[in-house]
Amino acid sequence: MTAFDKDQVSRFRFVRCDFAADTGVARLVYAFDDGPEMTETVTVPGAPFQLDGERAAAVQRALQLLHLIAGVSYYKAAVPSQVSIDSYAIDKATAALVETVYFNGLGEFAYRNGLNLRDRFKLPVNEPHSPRERGWGEGASADAVSSAAVPSPPAPLPQGEGSNAPVLGLAHHALVAIGGGKDSLVSIEALRNAGVAETVTWIGGSQLIRACAERTGLPTLNIGRTLAPELFELNRQGAWNGHIPVTAVNSAIMVLAAVVQGVDQVVFSNERSASYGSQIAGTGEVNHQWSKGWAFEKAFGEYVQQHIAADLNYYSLLRPLSELAVARQFAKTDFYDAHFSSCNRNFHILGERPVNRWCGVCPKCHFVFLALAPFMPKIRLVRIFGRNLLDDMEQAGGYDALLEFQDHKPFECVGEGKESRAAMATLASRPDWKEDVLVKRFATLIQPTLAADELQIEPLLVIDGEHRIPEALWERLRANFAA
């Protein structure tokens, strides 16, 4: 590959995508200008040898959505102002969803790199006119060429309109995303208790996640994803790099897998707290986990039902819960204590893995330790982490960020500042915790500056808020979560 100059790139191309039902391999192809093609592969094990009719057309629509959303990994290398789709046409609703994902999902990336991405990523819209062009019917067009028409600005997805997508007659079964942390395990056990058939599903080759998935004793599905090797070379040559909306990509991968496998639910475990970002002076809110938030879930879930399959439900089982409420649920059983890990240093694509499941110094380790502390015996929590993080003065800066004390919330998937403050205040009132150095520091230095009614933990444990959980299932779950 010749040297890459991100400033000289003028166009990002969605070249083509295809799916082979006999091997379960999807190929997603991208390029900058007339440069070399970059091909990512996604492999869905257990795909049927042949897909026909409406199911095949739905797979094609899911594949194109994945092609567009997964392109964010490559587009960010140069963030050019021109974008083209070489091999199929999209409508306004598709453009609106994907443009929203790129703008909001690259918020942290833009902030850290000093970039303004507002109105920069615009997809060409060419409204299909016939069912064949839309991809509804058998023999749907996969090679329609998009025009260079000026796209409309992002618009909200239609509210309350009937679905354009067919009912595929999908089996009542859930693909449940597992990431190896506490949240997905709470969802998996809740679905098990509610009698919902489920397959524990993960993407990539993490052995830690595999061990956690196998611990559930449920059927498992490991979806392969291989990024184009050229991307890592571009990064070495000075491409823009940074955080992408990984949950949006994984959601699109799992929707494709659900249609291929013929099941009607894709379940994530994103809690209410994910909708709140870091408040940065002079910038405003930047949400590291935007694609785990309610705005993404609502827009993506509605799009899937309106444009891919009317009977495919995409939802987060934990949306009505705070991080603390999830921690309380997890603490009810010690079955996964020796298997789970929420430490992100275990899950980097490249780089050294820690020997232990918890590094003890990252924001995720800090927060999970603090969130679990009010709900489980101290000896059990220290055994999980291998040490007491709240009795280590060197961790003060990390906890100050979680508490939003002289710092903003970290760019990590952690709870809101008010949750950390309430958890710390709870520990400060307990004999077994209050002498630990960081708890004592909070009680003397930080707590006196806060209103007492803001430090109550009970209001943060209320099960409430908007969600997309099927109503009959939510009625069965709600009492279990509230107990």
Side-chain angles (χ1 to χ4, degrees):
M1 176 178 277
T2 56
F4 179 75
D5 184 350
K6 60 181 179 286
D7 297 321
Q8 296 302 310
V9 172
S10 62
R11 182 182 297 274
F12 178 69
R13 295 166 50 213
F14 294 89
V15 180
R16 65 185 175 279
C17 57
D18 56 63
F19 180 78
D22 56 342
T23 61
V25 176
R27 295 190 311 142
L28 316 171
V29 186
Y30 311 95
F32 289 110
D33 294 326
D34 295 321
E37 293 183 351
M38 300 175 285
T39 302
E40 174 173 324
T41 60
V42 172
T43 304
V44 182
F49 186 77
Q50 194 168 354
L51 290 163
D52 297 310
E54 287 186 335
R55 180 104 160 270
V59 167
Q60 184 67 21
R61 295 193 296 277
L63 175 68
Q64 290 174 358
L65 180 63
L66 171 58
H67 187 217
L68 294 170
I69 290 179
V72 71
S73 296
Y74 305 89
Y75 171 79
K76 79 173 190 320
V79 294
S81 58
Q82 297 180 54
V83 178
S84 63
I85 303 173
D86 295 358
S87 55
Y88 54 89
I90 64 169
D91 60 14
K92 288 180 181 178
T94 304
L97 174 69
V98 177
E99 287 167 7
T100 299
V101 168
Y102 275 60
F103 177 69
N104 291 290
L106 289 175
E108 179 190 337
F109 162 85
Y111 170 73
R112 288 185 181 272
N113 286 293
L115 298 170
N116 181 4
L117 299 186
R118 185 168 294 283
D119 297 324
R120 189 167 183 85
F121 178 86
K122 291 289 186 182
L123 287 167
V125 171
N126 181 16
E127 291 281 2
H129 299 293
S130 68
R132 172 180 286 268
E133 286 181 291
R134 285 187 184 278
W136 300 144
E138 194 169 357
S141 171
D143 56 1
V145 179
S146 65
S147 73
V150 178
S152 303
L157 292 178
Q159 297 297 312
E161 294 183 9
S163 172
N164 291 320
V167 174
L168 297 181
L170 301 170
H172 188 57
H173 191 101
L175 296 186
V176 186
I178 185 171
K182 64 180 178 8
D183 298 4
S184 49
L185 294 170
V186 169
S187 289
I188 287 163
E189 293 305 317
L191 288 173
R192 191 201 306 262
N193 291 338
V196 176
E198 56 184 314
T199 296
V200 178
T201 307
W202 73 102
I203 297 160
S206 168
Q207 292 305 304
L208 188 151
I209 298 178
R210 176 182 294 277
C212 215
E214 291 174 348
R215 177 68 170 166
T216 68
L218 293 164
T220 61
L221 175 67
N222 181 201
I223 299 172
R225 183 188 181 205
T226 304
L227 291 163
E230 293 85 358
L231 180 61
F232 303 106
E233 179 59 32
L234 295 185
N235 290 340
R236 282 190 284 270
Q237 295 185 21
W240 293 116
N241 200 2
H243 180 73
I244 64 156
V246 177
T247 300
V249 178
N250 288 344
S251 296
I253 289 172
M254 286 187 58
V255 162
L256 173 66
V259 179
V260 166
Q261 298 230 332
V263 301
D264 72 342
Q265 295 167 73
V266 169
V267 183
F268 276 73
S269 302
N270 304 315
E271 70 295 314
R272 188 169 68 219
S273 310
S275 299
Y276 300 92
S278 304
Q279 300 295 333
I280 300 172
T283 297
E285 183 179 21
V286 177
N287 192 350
H288 168 86
Q289 49 184 340
W290 178 82
S291 64
K292 289 187 173 183
W294 170 241
F296 171 77
E297 180 188 340
K298 184 173 186 292
F300 184 82
E302 288 178 359
Y303 180 91
V304 166
Q305 286 192 305
Q306 292 172 4
H307 297 269
I308 294 177
D311 49 340
L312 178 51
N313 290 296
Y314 168 88
Y315 60 93
S316 169
L317 197 73
L318 305 183
R319 183 63 64 197
L321 281 66
S322 67
E323 279 271 20
L324 291 180
V326 176
R328 182 178 66 168
Q329 290 296 320
F330 181 82
K332 290 178 179 179
T333 173
D334 62 3
F335 185 71
Y336 295 106
D337 282 10
H339 295 79
F340 86 110
S341 175
S342 300
C343 174
N344 276 354
R345 297 197 178 187
N346 285 306
F347 303 114
H348 290 170
I349 293 175
L350 297 174
E352 193 176 336
R353 265 68 166 179
V355 175
N356 300 313
R357 286 177 299 114
W358 303 93
C359 73
V361 296
C362 74
K364 286 295 291 283
C365 283
H366 289 153
F367 179 76
V368 174
F369 189 95
L370 177 59
L372 289 172
F375 306 110
M376 65 170 58
K378 187 174 185 177
I379 190 170
R380 176 182 164 197
L381 184 58
V382 172
R383 187 184 302 123
I384 289 171
F385 279 79
R387 55 177 157 148
N388 181 359
L389 303 189
L390 293 174
D391 202 26
D392 179 359
M393 187 56 81
E394 290 186 6
Q395 311 274 17
Y399 276 102
D400 284 353
L402 290 177
L403 297 163
E404 295 178 316
F405 175 67
Q406 300 178 341
D407 202 352
H408 64 73
K409 175 183 164 185
F411 285 133
E412 273 289 0
C413 299
V414 295
E416 297 176 69
K418 64 183 180 182
E419 293 183 89
S420 293
R421 294 189 291 271
M424 196 72 90
T426 299
L427 300 184
S429 69
R430 294 185 179 174
D432 55 337
W433 286 102
K434 67 180 184 179
E435 296 303 320
D436 291 350
V437 293
L438 295 185
V439 180
K440 184 182 287 188
R441 178 176 178 270
F442 172 82
T444 57
L445 179 64
I446 303 173
Q447 189 164 353
T449 70
L450 303 171
D453 61 350
E454 294 178 9
L455 299 177
Q456 301 301 309
I457 202 168
E458 288 76 16
L460 302 179
L461 300 176
V462 172
I463 311 298
D464 196 19
E466 295 179 291
H467 63 82
R468 303 192 80 256
I469 304 166
E471 216 43 59
L473 174 59
W474 178 235
E475 289 305 315
R476 301 205 298 277
L477 290 177
R478 188 182 183 104
N480 179 44
F481 280 154

